[in-house]
Amino acid sequence: MSAPSRRTFVNAAVILGVGLFALGGVSVVPPLRDLERRMVQEISLRLDPVESAFSGNGSQDRPWQRWKTKPALASEPVRMLSVDDDPDAWYSSSPPSPVDCALMFSRLREAGHSTVGCGYLMAWDDPEALALLALRKQLDELDSAVLGLPLARGAVAEPLPASFLRLSVDAKQIDGDVSSLPQMNRVAVPNAELGGERTLAGFTILENEKNASDTHPHVIARWGERIIFSLPLATEIAALKIDPEEIRILSGSEIRLGIGGPVIPVDEFGRTPIAPDASIVDIPAWKIVAEDNPVPPARDPLLIRDHRDEMPEADRAWSDDLPRAAHTLRIAPRYQKPVILSRLEALAEMALFGLIVLFAAWAASLERFGWRLLTVLMAAALSAELVYLFAARQNLWLPPLALTMVGVTSFLLAFIPGPESATKVKKHHAPWEIRPDPMPAPEPAVTSVVMPAPLVEAPSPLIVSAPAPLPPLKLPLAPVEPEPVPVAPPEIVPEPAPASLEPELPAVRVEIPEPAFIAAWIVELPEGFTRIKVSALPSEPGPEPVIESTQDSEVTIPLPDAPADVEEVAVELPQPQTPASASSSSAKKAKTSKKSRRKGGR
């Protein structure tokens, strides 16, 4: 395991960016929100396999909520009271007059019906005022009487009728965009009866609406700043005795009728799919007058429809689809109180998320591919296990989509090979080893030893200057060592002259503190000297190379074959060949420091 590399930090930045995008985009990007909803739904159903619905957007403010379904109610046939042509003339007129309609509602109330939805359009050109008052009184006697009226959109908007206003929702309370809902502003029939002080209303047909469909009828529409409901849906709301404020509408998703009421799916146009068929109990309206109790009350509300022979085609189609629409709403799923799928505190969640990101980034940065792939899979499995354990044990939900994106991103990064190192590590070779180099051989490192000219009459101290600085050389790899500390010039200690006639040469010894490779010495000859002898003295006995020069005032003395354990170099300088100098010559020795050229330093 090595220190974090550049690749580790790059991987951490990429994984963190992808994870944060998924973490923050769930609440604002619909595809990401739908994907995480499906993930949460799958995990929840594995923990508790009960059919449920889910709401919320997965954020800290609006976490996911699980709505468990209630046991389905036994489906009952839809009971329809059909107003026909009355061939036996049980009513005073056909179609029924206001008095006949008042009698019909009166008999239904006496039979025990409390909620009635009337899809029969009650409209007259010149009705009697007393008859209308009697009709409205009978409508108000019922707990809930819901009238069905056709709507249209005109150039001049009309005020929303009171019967619609009583059962409507403010458009500002809708979650989502309501601009795609049908917009209506008037009742299509001018003389339509709007009911009494307690009467409710729902729409039947939306004229000039392009999105209308027999299989997907509209259940909600917009009138100004109010959301109104269709007749079947308004009748169900009235039968459930739900306050309009308890109705929750998610545009393009669902309509929830109270906490425990049915949930109806809708699209952005306010439509819902209806059942392909429904069982019906069709009762002619004339039986209300001819028999004592032809329609006993039941759990579901009674619906009245127009079933005469002479009807417009659109009205006939709507009347035929009314039983199926009512059946679809009654079998809609109902849910218990929601269970909130809480999330961790923001700081704790971000800390845990950051640790998982760092682990995944480190795993995707390992050098060996096998270990890299294995640890990345471990990081992904750890994330999944944390989500499952928190949800199962504490009902705390980590963001599954963000953690999944972290695992997927690290898995993909694991297949990207790492860049090769720009610096290749070379083996440290011994100084005396000569290794082939494809590049041109560098110039040999040299060390300059400058000594002043000695006096002729008597030997004088020899001054050896420090080697001049040299440019860096490209030599085989060698460690960098600090500059040597300059030392004082060596002192030449005179020795008594030997008894022989041959003068003894003064010598200067240069100590080498550690094994080194000495490329060359540059020696400046004092005036009068004609011969120089240089010896490389190893720690063990061996040959001593000797180089002579007689003409130049400066000579370069190469030492290419010096062994690694050279400890000192002796430079012998003879006296001039004169009797005076021979008689007064004396051997002098001194020690001085040396400089050796290495690769990467002096």
Side-chain angles (χ1 to χ4, degrees):
M1 195 178 298
S2 59
S5 61
R6 179 181 179 183
R7 178 176 179 176
T8 305
F9 292 106
V10 172
N11 289 346
V14 173
I15 296 173
L16 182 62
V18 174
L20 290 179
F21 173 76
L23 185 64
V26 166
S27 59
V28 296
V29 181
L32 295 180
R33 183 167 59 248
D34 295 339
L35 179 60
E36 181 161 292
R37 179 186 285 111
R38 288 194 293 269
M39 297 175 67
V40 172
Q41 181 176 355
E42 183 67 22
I43 298 172
S44 298
L45 293 178
R46 287 186 178 273
L47 296 175
D48 186 8
V50 177
E51 186 178 356
S52 306
F54 294 85
S55 62
N57 58 12
S59 63
Q60 291 283 352
D61 298 332
R62 293 183 56 194
W64 297 112
Q65 295 182 4
R66 181 179 182 180
W67 303 73
K68 296 182 180 180
T69 57
K70 293 181 179 179
L73 300 175
S75 178
E76 295 183 355
V78 180
R79 297 183 306 160
M80 307 296 298
L81 186 65
S82 300
V83 177
D84 54 13
D85 292 325
D86 188 17
D88 296 333
W90 289 97
Y91 294 103
S92 61
S93 62
S94 180
S97 64
V99 175
D100 296 329
C101 292
L103 177 60
M104 185 188 309
F105 285 107
S106 176
R107 294 298 299 270
L108 290 175
R109 181 178 59 82
E110 292 173 357
H113 294 273
S114 59
T115 301
V116 177
C118 182
Y120 172 73
L121 179 60
M122 296 183 292
W124 302 276
D125 294 334
D126 191 13
E128 296 181 1
L130 292 178
L132 288 179
L133 289 176
L135 173 60
R136 293 169 185 173
K137 182 178 180 180
Q138 293 301 323
L139 292 174
D140 289 340
E141 290 292 333
L142 295 170
D143 290 346
S144 298
V146 185
L147 303 182
L149 300 172
L151 301 181
R153 182 172 58 251
V156 179
E158 298 179 359
L160 181 64
S163 54
F164 278 104
L165 184 61
R166 295 186 189 104
L167 189 56
S168 64
V169 178
D170 191 350
K172 297 179 181 179
Q173 298 181 3
I174 308 302
D175 295 334
D177 186 15
V178 297
S179 59
S180 298
L181 296 178
Q183 298 189 20
M184 304 290 117
N185 57 11
R186 68 182 183 89
V187 178
V189 179
N191 300 324
E193 176 59 34
L194 301 178
E197 296 179 357
R198 300 177 60 248
T199 308
L200 306 177
F203 62 84
T204 56
I205 297 175
L206 301 179
E207 295 185 0
N208 303 324
E209 183 56 42
K210 298 179 181 179
N211 296 319
S213 172
D214 294 339
T215 58
H216 290 71
H218 289 91
V219 292
I220 56 175
R222 183 177 178 182
W223 188 315
E225 296 300 323
R226 306 295 296 184
I227 303 298
I228 56 179
F229 305 97
S230 65
L231 174 65
L233 181 55
T235 305
E236 292 298 321
I237 294 173
L240 295 173
K241 300 184 180 342
I242 298 175
D243 190 286
E245 298 295 331
E246 299 178 5
I247 300 173
R248 184 179 180 187
I249 302 175
L250 280 72
S251 181
S253 179
E254 64 187 17
I255 301 174
R256 192 177 300 275
L257 304 182
I259 296 178
V263 179
I264 298 98
V266 292
D267 59 12
E268 65 272 19
F269 302 107
R271 304 175 304 181
T272 186
I274 62 175
D277 54 8
S279 58
I280 306 173
V281 176
D282 197 0
I283 305 168
W286 57 266
K287 286 188 176 183
I288 294 293
V289 180
E291 299 178 6
D292 292 337
N293 190 12
V295 188
R299 181 189 63 193
D300 296 325
L302 179 68
L303 292 175
I304 303 175
R305 65 174 178 173
D306 192 351
H307 209 255
R308 294 175 297 167
D309 294 338
E310 296 181 1
M311 291 178 59
E313 183 178 354
D315 294 345
R316 169 71 67 178
W318 182 88
S319 181
D320 292 339
D321 293 337
L322 179 59
R324 294 192 295 130
H327 178 69
T328 301
L329 299 177
R330 292 172 185 177
I331 64 173
R334 288 167 168 80
Y335 300 97
Q336 303 174 11
K337 291 185 178 181
V339 177
I340 299 177
L341 308 182
S342 305
R343 291 178 57 174
L344 283 174
E345 295 292 335
L347 292 179
E349 184 178 276
M350 290 303 299
L352 184 59
F353 182 75
L355 290 176
I356 295 175
V357 168
L358 290 179
F359 178 59
W362 170 81
S365 304
L366 296 179
E367 294 182 0
R368 298 184 61 181
F369 175 75
W371 286 107
R372 189 164 65 240
L373 184 61
L374 178 62
T375 51
V376 163
L377 294 177
M378 289 175 58
L382 176 63
S383 301
E385 187 68 19
L386 287 176
V387 172
Y388 185 83
L389 289 178
F390 272 89
R393 303 297 182 185
Q394 303 294 332
N395 193 30
L396 294 175
W397 289 77
L398 298 175
L401 180 61
L403 294 179
T404 302
M405 294 300 294
V406 167
V408 172
T409 305
S410 60
F411 181 77
L412 295 179
L413 291 175
F415 288 90
I416 300 178
E420 296 183 359
S421 178
T423 305
K424 295 183 179 180
V425 180
K426 293 185 178 180
K427 179 182 177 182
H428 290 263
H429 304 289
W432 63 85
E433 291 185 6
I434 300 175
R435 302 186 62 82
D437 193 349
M439 302 297 293
E443 297 181 0
V446 297
T447 304
S448 178
V449 180
V450 181
M451 294 168 289
L455 298 177
V456 177
E457 286 78 13
S460 60
L462 181 62
I463 301 174
V464 180
S465 64
L470 299 177
L473 298 178
K474 297 181 179 179
L475 296 177
L477 183 65
V480 179
E481 62 182 14
E483 292 285 347
V485 180
V487 298
E491 224 179 56
I492 300 177
V493 181
E495 293 183 359
S500 64
L501 297 177
E502 289 235 8
E504 186 179 359
L505 298 177
V508 175
R509 291 185 179 274
V510 181
E511 288 187 356
I512 300 178
E514 61 183 9
F517 177 79
I518 302 175
W521 290 92
I522 299 177
V523 181
E524 185 177 352
L525 298 179
E527 184 178 358
F529 289 91
T530 60
R531 184 171 64 89
I532 298 175
K533 179 180 180 180
V534 177
S535 299
L537 304 180
S539 59
E540 297 180 1
E544 297 183 2
V546 178
I547 299 175
E548 297 185 359
S549 176
T550 58
Q551 300 297 330
D552 299 332
S553 61
E554 180 175 319
V555 63
T556 300
I557 306 171
L559 297 176
D561 299 325
D565 53 353
V566 172
E567 294 181 351
E568 60 182 5
V569 174
V571 180
E572 298 181 3
L573 303 178
Q575 292 285 351
Q577 301 298 323
T578 61
S581 62
S583 61
S584 60
S585 63
S586 62
K588 300 181 182 293
K589 296 182 180 180
K591 293 184 178 182
T592 181
S593 61
K594 61 88 185 181
K595 286 183 177 281
S596 62
R597 295 290 296 173
R598 296 174 181 266
K599 179 181 178 182
R602 297 180 183 178

